[in-house]
Amino acid sequence: MKKIKLALLIILSVIILAGCGKSAKEEFFDYTKKNVTENSSNDISMTIKDIKLTADMKDSPEANVMVTQLKDIKVTGSMQHDVSEKATNTKLNIEALGQKIPLEFISKNDDMYFSLDIFRGISKIASQFNSELPSDEKTLSAFDGKYLKLSDADTLEIDSKSATNLTKEFQKEVSNYFTSLDEERFTKENDVVTFKLTKKDVVVLAEKFNTLSKSKKEYKEFVIPDFDEMIKNLPKALDAKFNLNTKTNDLAVALTSTFDKKDEGFIDSIEVLYNYKPNDKQVAIKLPAKKEIVNVKEIEAILAPYLSDELDEELDEELDEELDEELDGDFNMADDEFKELVKELEKEDFSSFSAAESDELLEEYEPLLTEKQYKTIEKIFKNK
């Protein structure tokens, strides 16, 4: 979860960073600054341009089918920003596995709402994998037109105010970092300004984020505890190429990830394309009405009949794990229980037991006993 937060903060901050300078560098930052300080509305899209398989998987039918399915995934939609109202509205349509899934986020100030219309599409996709998610009309219609308020305390495990403050401070760090970059990294041909972001930049920004998170008590929940391991597990190469058309304000981003052979995956590299194009669809951003907002408890109540069996199975698994841990030596029999056991064993006749049978019984009791208790039981068996 925290890795996702970090990635989102870095990506968003790169897109909305502001700086100063001239030439291609200045034009790039002028565009990003304009998107923050003025009302804007953009059409956005995401497609997977290319996926290269590792040499040992190129002839695998299963891997090639999966690649085809991945390359068929498309995302289209729009993003609107109202500066005066401090509001944004992001609407996306995701095409995947033969389904169209709507995704919508609405935010104003520190409040964010997530549309539950997505549930129908997810349910249909899940059914292809024999999932137990409900697909009946009565249950699905209960989610239609409803929104989950993500900023509610029972929804997020984070303090939204602290998250907002941290994001603002981090954006300043990002701005300062990009302002310090060499002019040579920004080039212009005709009307297009090009800038490349590398894995080194991502690592530097990630380090700045983690350092900032450690700087104040209110930010401590955002510190990445396994930070070094996370950096180590990044793809072998990360390259993001930004192409900004200064005449039309179209922005195209090509993100390429190349993986290390030691990762033992079937993908060698993947290239994803993002496009942002201004449009004239600016309209008032409408927040969900009170009757359209549901909380986590209401959602759980709707899904309870379908999740109860799964929860029972999970509980059984947890109990089994706890029992296994106890039998591994984390549990010892209480003294009063042990005394009762000794009384019962002393009543039994073990004279007909072979040495192997006695050892087998001792082996069963050993995980439950202290060393002193074990010796007492051992003596009972041998004396018999």
Side-chain angles (χ1 to χ4, degrees):
M1 180 63 179
K2 289 184 180 287
K3 292 181 182 180
I4 296 174
K5 294 175 195 172
L6 171 62
L8 286 174
L9 281 170
I10 290 177
I11 293 170
L12 287 172
S13 297
V14 169
I15 292 175
I16 66 175
L17 61 89
C20 57
K22 292 294 180 183
S23 66
K25 182 177 177 180
E26 181 191 39
E27 290 187 79
F28 184 84
F29 286 124
D30 280 349
Y31 164 83
T32 56
K33 186 175 181 180
K34 184 178 180 180
N35 272 275
V36 178
T37 58
E38 299 179 14
N39 290 347
S40 62
S41 183
N42 294 278
D43 290 323
I44 56 182
S45 66
M46 186 280 287
T47 56
I48 298 177
K49 182 181 179 182
D50 189 31
I51 299 177
K52 288 185 171 63
L53 292 171
T54 55
D56 58 328
M57 296 297 287
K58 284 182 179 179
D59 297 324
S60 166
E62 294 85 358
N64 279 283
V65 168
M66 188 171 291
V67 166
T68 300
Q69 291 178 330
L70 288 172
K71 291 177 76 172
D72 283 342
I73 295 175
K74 294 179 182 177
V75 179
T76 56
S78 63
M79 181 184 293
Q80 189 174 318
H81 182 207
D82 188 324
V83 176
S84 60
E85 294 293 326
K86 295 182 179 179
T88 60
N89 187 3
T90 302
K91 291 183 178 181
L92 301 174
N93 284 299
I94 305 169
E95 295 181 39
L97 298 176
Q99 301 296 327
K100 290 186 178 181
I101 306 173
L103 184 65
E104 181 182 13
F105 288 94
I106 303 174
S107 67
K108 184 173 183 179
N109 296 318
D110 293 334
D111 291 331
M112 179 178 284
Y113 305 88
F114 174 64
S115 172
L116 297 179
D117 287 343
I118 190 176
F119 196 83
R120 279 184 179 271
I122 290 178
S123 179
K124 288 180 181 178
I125 289 178
S127 66
Q128 298 178 30
F129 298 94
N130 299 317
S131 171
E132 295 299 322
L133 281 178
S135 57
D136 61 286
E137 183 59 29
K138 182 180 177 181
T139 304
L140 294 177
S141 62
F143 292 100
D144 291 343
K146 302 296 184 182
Y147 291 82
L148 176 65
K149 190 175 181 180
L150 295 178
S151 45
D152 281 346
D154 62 347
T155 304
L156 289 180
E157 298 176 352
I158 62 173
D159 183 335
S160 58
K161 185 177 180 181
S162 296
T164 300
N165 292 337
L166 174 61
T167 300
K168 288 179 180 178
E169 287 199 47
F170 181 56
Q171 285 170 2
K172 290 179 183 177
E173 291 282 346
V174 174
S175 174
N176 292 335
Y177 176 72
F178 281 94
T179 301
S180 69
L181 296 178
D182 292 337
E183 293 280 348
E184 288 74 16
R185 293 188 61 176
F186 300 82
T187 59
K188 185 175 181 181
E189 185 174 346
N190 297 323
D191 297 317
V192 179
V193 173
T194 299
F195 164 65
K196 292 182 180 179
L197 189 73
T198 67
K199 179 180 176 179
K200 181 181 178 181
D201 295 313
V202 172
V203 172
V204 170
L205 292 173
E207 290 171 343
K208 288 181 178 294
F209 172 83
N210 216 38
T211 299
L212 187 59
S213 298
K214 294 177 181 178
S215 67
K216 295 181 181 179
K217 287 184 179 179
E218 64 177 294
Y219 298 158
K220 65 180 182 180
E221 62 184 313
F222 298 97
V223 174
I224 312 299
D226 54 348
F227 182 79
D228 291 336
E229 188 66 22
M230 185 196 71
I231 296 298
K232 182 181 176 182
N233 290 331
L234 285 174
K236 182 173 68 174
L238 277 172
D239 296 287
K241 185 178 180 181
F242 295 79
N243 286 325
L244 170 65
N245 188 310
T246 56
K247 257 190 179 177
T248 63
N249 279 336
D250 291 358
L251 176 64
V253 183
L255 176 62
T256 304
S257 302
T258 304
F259 303 94
D260 201 314
K261 291 180 180 178
K262 66 181 181 181
D263 292 337
E264 298 182 356
F266 66 93
I267 295 178
D268 179 69
S269 66
I270 181 169
E271 183 179 2
V272 183
L273 302 181
Y274 302 86
N275 285 285
Y276 304 81
K277 292 187 176 184
N279 60 44
D280 55 0
K281 301 174 185 177
Q282 188 80 29
V283 294
I285 297 175
K286 183 182 177 183
L287 296 180
K290 190 174 182 180
K291 63 181 181 180
E292 297 173 327
I293 301 172
V294 297
N295 57 42
V296 173
K297 290 182 180 179
E298 290 174 295
I299 294 175
E300 289 176 345
I302 295 172
L303 298 178
Y306 302 91
L307 299 180
S308 57
D309 290 342
E310 292 181 14
L311 291 173
D312 287 342
E313 289 177 8
E314 288 179 12
L315 183 59
D316 288 342
E317 288 177 6
E318 288 177 9
L319 291 173
D320 287 342
E321 288 177 5
E322 289 177 8
L323 182 59
D324 288 341
E325 288 178 2
E326 290 175 352
L327 295 178
D328 280 340
D330 293 334
F331 169 83
N332 292 125
M333 191 176 292
D335 288 339
D336 55 343
E337 292 177 321
F338 179 70
K339 288 177 182 178
E340 288 297 321
L341 174 64
V342 169
K343 286 181 182 179
E344 292 299 320
L345 292 176
E346 287 178 336
K347 294 177 184 178
E348 299 293 332
D349 181 11
F350 297 103
S351 58
S352 62
F353 276 51
S354 67
E357 288 174 326
S358 295
D359 289 342
E360 188 176 339
L361 273 173
L362 280 169
E363 191 175 330
E364 289 181 10
Y365 279 110
E366 186 176 11
L368 301 172
L369 307 173
T370 63
E371 185 177 350
K372 184 178 179 182
Q373 290 172 340
Y374 178 81
K375 287 181 178 179
T376 300
I377 299 295
E378 185 180 34
K379 192 177 292 184
I380 291 174
F381 284 153
K382 288 185 176 181
N383 288 339
K384 291 288 183 180

